[in-house]
Amino acid sequence: MVCLGNICRSPLAEGIMQHLADEQGLDWEIDSAGTGDWHIGQGPDRRSVRTARQHGIDISKQVCRLFSVSDFDTFDHILVMDKSNLSNVLAMARNDEDVKKVELLLIDKIVPDPYFDDAQFEPVFKLIENGCREFIARYK
Ligand code: 4NP
């Protein structure tokens, strides 16, 4: 799960996908990262932590890290939140195999950045949850 800062959207996406995968008994390894380095080593944004908690998901222990080329080797799917994340990640792809792993979580639309608008965290949670449910239906 990849976004820009790895403190708002992708930590939610990691927590939600892990929660849903656990519920379905899927032994999936899920992680998140950002393409920007401002928040490395920090926990998720408190608004994301609170929104997740309201839905029974604890993301407070996550630690922000930078997306790295080695993620293409570690993971089968790289799910990005918006088109800027998409181009940043694709710019790091080494070959067609890497490129094929990358897709927008919501396929035909983006998960907007809620960083500057507190009211967007709940709608963003729902968008991500729907995307995760659809992903699980496709790949489980
Ligand atoms: P995210 O949101 O990409 O969903 O984690 C952002 C968090 C921080 C910044 C931008 C977006 N920032 O510029 O610090």
Side-chain angles (χ1 to χ4, degrees):
M1 298 300 198
V2 179
C3 65
L4 177 58
N6 190 212
I7 57 167
C8 297
R9 292 166 291 176
S10 58
L12 279 173
E14 177 187 337
I16 293 167
M17 189 71 97
Q18 190 71 64
H19 179 79
L20 294 173
D22 290 348
E23 258 182 10
Q24 303 227 11
L26 300 168
D27 186 20
W28 289 2
E29 182 184 349
I30 297 150
D31 198 4
S32 66
T35 61
D37 61 6
W38 310 283
H39 301 284
I40 292 172
Q42 297 175 12
D45 187 287
R46 62 189 164 71
R47 296 165 296 178
S48 285
V49 173
R50 185 172 60 225
T51 305
R53 195 190 304 120
Q54 284 164 352
H55 292 270
I57 300 173
D58 179 16
I59 64 167
S60 65
K61 310 288 189 307
Q62 292 182 28
V63 178
C64 173
R65 72 172 178 90
L66 201 52
F67 181 78
S68 109
V69 170
S70 65
D71 287 315
F72 287 113
D73 299 321
T74 308
F75 297 99
D76 299 316
H77 299 272
I78 316 273
L79 303 179
V80 301
M81 301 298 126
D82 67 27
K83 299 221 167 128
S84 146
N85 314 146
L86 186 64
S87 57
N88 286 332
V89 168
L90 287 177
M92 294 169 73
R94 300 156 300 182
N95 49 47
D96 279 356
E97 205 182 321
D98 288 354
V99 168
K100 279 190 210 138
K101 292 186 173 186
V102 187
E103 57 185 318
L104 284 167
L105 172 63
L106 301 184
I107 303 175
D108 58 354
K109 57 181 196 274
I110 63 153
V111 180
D113 186 350
Y115 189 61
F116 295 105
D117 185 354
D118 295 358
Q120 286 308 307
F121 279 79
E122 178 61 26
V124 155
F125 182 98
K126 294 286 188 199
L127 278 176
I128 292 173
E129 185 183 34
N130 286 338
C132 289
R133 285 191 192 284
E134 282 174 21
F135 183 88
I136 287 175
R138 264 188 292 145
Y139 286 106
K140 78 174 179 186

